[in-house]
């Protein structure tokens, strides 16, 4: 019995190891349909739309892989919600209630604007022919590992300082007001609000969808460098091919990315983040390894492993598909009319003046 | 019969399970917007009616200006914050689609700085309640699903 248990555990471990260690496997059939550059590498160039329903972390109770029927049902439900949200309301309506109507969603509560502005995705991501319920695939429960005690301590300190300028902070989600000092100066506003980086780690690394709008990404590839352009806040990350990392004294908002080919997979290694980037509360020593594999003429598989021992006790891995789109990307000139930031700061000054009276 | 009942029950529970799971997933979806509580005052709800005077088709948020006539006959120009115009452009909604003079109704909340005649566009509709750009005829707007002959796929998601 003991032997059988051992054998079973061993087999499971081996299967898991194969699953984790072979992210870049390409079937012979798909390989032939992969476009290539003159130097023989897969051509990753193209416009990709990352809008999708698969969340970063697996919702409690969902299996890792949805059956086609389950995914189709969830997708239909979302489409129906969207259809209803776009339906007419009363034209002779009165002003909404003070403090909001208590419902959730961008147009239901006090914040936001109605759904015609949004483009949140319509389908679950398909990876290796499977409809996935989360981007995170390791740990196997599909959840980001818990923060280390150190990281929790850091987060509490930052909270006290009323500053949250992380790369993935939502532009806001503050139905009321943030703690005192949060609106004191632009340096204390999230990077997305300040037009420095897209919110929800749209530019990454790791590159994630924001489940809102402007999820287009463009890859331009040359033998010496690969550029990944993110529509949200128009971030361009340049990956230097076959290069060494910059000295650790040089820090960049998007980190320093260097790349090389492992077979048909582009591997991008990123370090040298700034202290302000802080993806999910990580330190500037965040290390992200991304793997881009062109699966066929219409999509690539994006896989990333992220580690920062001061933040998570173990590395964690996510993957999802980047489907090619025929859509055009438009410039997101975030600074051209950022009335919002001015409004936030002037509102805070007025509240201070009122408090003195 | 007993078997059939069991199958029905199991289908029902799977359906409930996925509905519940989706609700959990939806609840954690980000609601991105420039700090609502910082920019707007949730205790100052407004409903604004009037013709469009100008549209600022800009990032990070589009702003629609309209002329509002107050109860005492005074004319005020209000400006209303919407989302990013990029997605609308992709759907084929251009700045020509929203002509100056178009009557609209907006509900939302005024800016924290009450000297500013600004509000968020929580709902922006035509006077008959139809959402702007959606289902409006003659503006080149995308299908909203109200017309059974329309494609069920929202416009602008080609290539997928």
């Amino acid at each position: 019995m003991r032997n059988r248990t051992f054998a079973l555990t061993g087999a499971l471990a081996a299967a898991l190891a194969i699953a984790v260690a072979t992210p870049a496997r390409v079937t012979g059939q798909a390989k032939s349909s992969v476009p290539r550059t003159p130097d023989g590498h897969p051509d990753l160039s193209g416009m990709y739309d990352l809008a999708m329903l698969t969340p970063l972390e697996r919702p409690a109770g969902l299996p890792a892989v949805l059956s086609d029927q389950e995914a189709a049902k969830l997708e239909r439900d979302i489409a129906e919600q969207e259809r209803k949200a776009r339906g007419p309301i009363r034209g002779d309506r009165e002003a909404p209630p003070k403090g909001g109507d208590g419902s959730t969603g961008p147009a239901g509560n006090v914040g936001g604007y109605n759904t015609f502005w949004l483009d949140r995705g319509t389908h679950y991501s398909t990876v290796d022919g499977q409809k996935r319920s989360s981007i995170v695939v390791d740990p196997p429960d599909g959840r980001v590992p818990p923060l280390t005690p150190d990281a929790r301590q850091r987060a509490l300190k930052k909270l006290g300082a009323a500053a949250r300028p992380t790369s993935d902070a939502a532009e806001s989600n503050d139905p009321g007001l943030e703690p005192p000092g949060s609106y004191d100066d632009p340096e204390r506003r999230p990077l997305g609000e300040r037009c420095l980086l897209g919110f929800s780690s749209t530019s990454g690394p790791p590159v994630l969808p924001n489940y809102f709008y402007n999820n287009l990404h463009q890859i331009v590839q040359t033998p010496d460098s690969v550029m990944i352009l993110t529509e949200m806040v128009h971030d361009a990350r340049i990956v230097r091919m076959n290069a060494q990392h910059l000295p650790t004294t040089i820090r960049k908002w998007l980190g320093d990315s260097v790349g090389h080919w492992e077979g048909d997979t582009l591997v991008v290694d990123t370090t040298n983040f700034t202290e302000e980037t802080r993806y999910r509360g990580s330190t500037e020593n965040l290390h992200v390894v991304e793997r881009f594999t062109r699966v066929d003429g219409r999509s690539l598989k994006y896989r990333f492993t992220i580690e920062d021992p001061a933040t998570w006790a173990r590395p964690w891995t996510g993957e999802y598909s980047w489907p090619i789109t025929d859509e055009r990307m438009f410039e997101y000139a975030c600074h051209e009319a950022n009335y919002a930031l001015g409004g936030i700061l002037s509102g805070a000054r007025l509240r201070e003046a009122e408090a003195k009276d | 019969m007993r078997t059939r009942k069991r199958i029905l029950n199991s289908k029902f529970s799977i359906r409930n399970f996925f509905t519940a799971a989706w609700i959990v997933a939806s609840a954690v979806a980000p609601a991105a917007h420039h700090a609502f509580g910082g920019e707007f005052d949730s205790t100052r709800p407004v409903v604004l009616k009037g013709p469009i005077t100008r549209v600022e088709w800009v990032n990070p948020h589009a702003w629609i200006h309209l002329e509002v006539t107050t109860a005492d006959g005074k004319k005020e120009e209000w400006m209303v914050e919407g989302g990013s115009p990029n997605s609308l452009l992709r759907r084929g909604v251009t700045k020509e689609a929203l002509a100056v003079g178009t009557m609209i109704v907006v509900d939302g909340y005024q800016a924290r700085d009450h000297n500013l005649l600004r509000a968020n566009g929580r709902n922006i509709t035509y006077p008959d309640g139809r959402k702007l750009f959606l289902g409006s005829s003659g503006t080149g707007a995308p299908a909203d699903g109200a017309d059974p002959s329309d494609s069920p796929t929202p416009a602008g998601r080609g290539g997928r």
Side-chain angles (χ1 to χ4, degrees):
Chain A
M1 179 66 194
R2 213 174 123 191
N3 279 351
R4 208 165 57 187
T5 310
F6 181 73
L8 190 65
T9 314
L12 278 175
L16 189 67
I18 290 166
V20 171
T22 53
R25 281 186 70 185
V26 177
T27 65
Q29 193 191 356
K31 204 169 179 174
S32 62
S33 64
V34 170
R36 290 183 185 273
T37 54
D39 58 9
H41 292 300
D43 189 356
L44 307 179
S45 300
M47 190 75 74
Y48 299 88
D49 186 351
L50 309 191
M52 63 173 186
L53 299 176
T54 302
L56 176 67
E57 295 188 276
R58 189 171 312 145
L62 272 193
V65 177
L66 302 170
S67 73
D68 286 349
Q69 292 81 357
E70 289 159 354
K73 188 198 174 305
L74 291 171
E75 288 165 0
R76 272 199 310 275
D77 289 351
I78 295 298
E80 179 60 16
Q81 272 178 24
E82 295 276 318
R83 194 189 64 77
K84 280 186 182 157
R86 291 173 182 206
I89 53 175
R90 283 179 49 226
D92 61 347
R93 61 194 182 273
E94 298 301 314
K98 275 190 181 184
D101 59 15
S103 64
T104 57
N109 53 20
V110 289
Y113 24 78
N114 59 13
T115 50
F116 63 72
W117 301 102
L118 307 184
D119 185 12
R120 288 187 278 201
T122 55
H123 62 284
Y124 281 84
S125 187
T126 304
V127 182
D128 298 339
Q130 300 171 333
K131 290 271 187 181
R132 297 290 179 83
S133 65
S134 65
I135 293 176
V136 175
V137 291
D138 181 47
D141 66 358
R143 312 286 300 177
V144 175
L147 292 177
T148 60
D150 269 7
R152 278 201 296 274
Q153 205 62 39
R154 283 201 311 274
L156 282 174
K157 259 192 190 163
K158 294 283 182 190
L159 209 63
R164 3 165 263 186
T166 59
S167 57
D168 58 319
E171 288 185 52
S172 77
N173 192 6
D174 57 341
L177 281 174
E178 292 171 37
S182 303
Y183 305 105
D184 272 1
D185 65 67
E187 300 283 321
R188 294 196 174 191
R189 304 309 308 153
L191 304 184
E193 271 182 29
R194 294 163 60 192
C195 296
L196 289 170
L197 295 178
F199 57 89
S200 304
S201 198
T202 43
S203 47
V207 181
L208 298 174
N210 64 24
Y211 307 101
F212 216 63
Y213 50 45
N214 298 348
N215 276 298
L216 262 54
H217 289 68
Q218 184 179 11
I219 295 182
V220 176
Q221 179 181 336
T222 73
D224 301 323
S225 51
V226 174
M227 184 205 62
I228 304 163
L229 179 64
T230 301
E231 181 174 30
M232 202 66 211
V233 191
H234 231 62
D235 298 316
R237 177 157 58 112
I238 311 288
V239 179
R240 294 175 298 121
M241 292 302 293
N242 306 309
Q244 297 295 311
H245 275 301
L246 297 168
T248 52
T249 48
I250 299 176
R251 300 273 163 186
K252 298 159 88 173
W253 291 106
L254 302 172
D256 178 50
S257 293
V258 295
H260 67 274
W261 289 97
E262 282 182 14
D264 275 352
T265 296
L266 171 69
V267 180
V268 177
D269 188 290
T270 305
T271 58
N272 296 35
F273 287 93
T274 69
E275 272 201 326
E276 287 76 21
T277 309
R278 289 188 11 245
Y279 170 64
R280 289 183 81 95
S282 62
T283 68
E284 61 178 0
N285 297 323
L286 178 72
H287 177 210
V288 184
V289 179
E290 298 160 285
R291 304 175 70 91
F292 298 80
T293 310
R294 191 82 191 237
V295 178
D296 53 35
R298 298 298 295 171
S299 67
L300 66 77
K301 178 170 162 181
Y302 176 72
R303 185 179 169 98
F304 62 88
T305 297
I306 172 167
E307 62 177 342
D308 180 19
T311 304
W312 302 286
R314 54 164 293 182
W316 53 278
T317 297
E319 65 182 20
Y320 65 104
S321 281
W322 286 25
I324 287 264
T325 177
D326 300 326
E327 301 288 353
R328 287 169 62 202
M329 184 188 288
F330 294 101
E331 185 187 14
Y332 186 88
C334 186
H335 272 303
E336 71 183 354
N338 194 352
Y339 295 125
L341 192 55
I344 290 165
L345 298 174
S346 74
R349 299 294 80 76
L350 270 158
R351 277 200 310 284
E352 282 168 5
E354 284 163 10
K356 276 184 195 160
D357 290 342
Chain B
M1 182 62 197
R2 211 174 139 190
T3 316
R4 183 176 153 76
K5 193 174 175 187
R6 201 161 57 222
I7 290 168
L8 283 174
N9 279 344
S10 90
K11 270 190 183 161
F12 181 72
S13 64
I14 286 170
R15 189 186 171 143
N16 279 358
F17 170 75
F18 278 104
T19 306
W22 175 251
I23 290 165
V24 171
S26 306
V28 295
H33 191 284
H34 276 59
F36 179 89
E39 190 177 358
F40 301 105
D41 185 346
S42 67
T43 68
R44 292 281 286 229
V46 291
V47 63
L48 308 166
K49 295 171 192 177
I52 290 171
T53 54
R54 187 155 74 99
V55 180
E56 292 189 74
W57 209 243
V58 293
N59 282 301
H61 296 278
W63 288 85
I64 298 174
H65 296 239
L66 71 160
E67 186 181 77
V68 177
T69 307
T70 61
D72 56 6
K74 216 174 90 190
K75 306 268 190 205
E76 291 179 341
E77 187 180 281
W78 280 72
M79 54 192 278
V80 174
E81 188 184 273
S84 152
N86 294 32
S87 303
L88 296 187
L89 284 169
R90 263 198 292 282
R91 284 182 221 156
V93 180
T94 64
K95 60 182 180 183
E96 286 80 24
L98 202 54
V100 167
T102 307
M103 290 292 293
I104 57 168
V105 182
V106 177
D107 64 82
Y109 296 86
Q110 192 178 358
R112 285 254 164 213
D113 180 348
H114 298 159
N115 299 313
L116 300 174
L117 299 181
R118 292 184 192 171
N120 71 309
R122 182 175 175 269
N123 285 298
I124 308 177
T125 70
Y126 296 102
D128 65 2
R130 283 172 306 152
K131 303 275 170 67
L132 227 54
F133 305 124
L134 299 168
S136 54
S137 57
T139 62
D144 69 342
D147 181 346
S149 64
D150 286 343
S151 157
T153 311
R157 304 209 59 82
R160 300 282 288 275

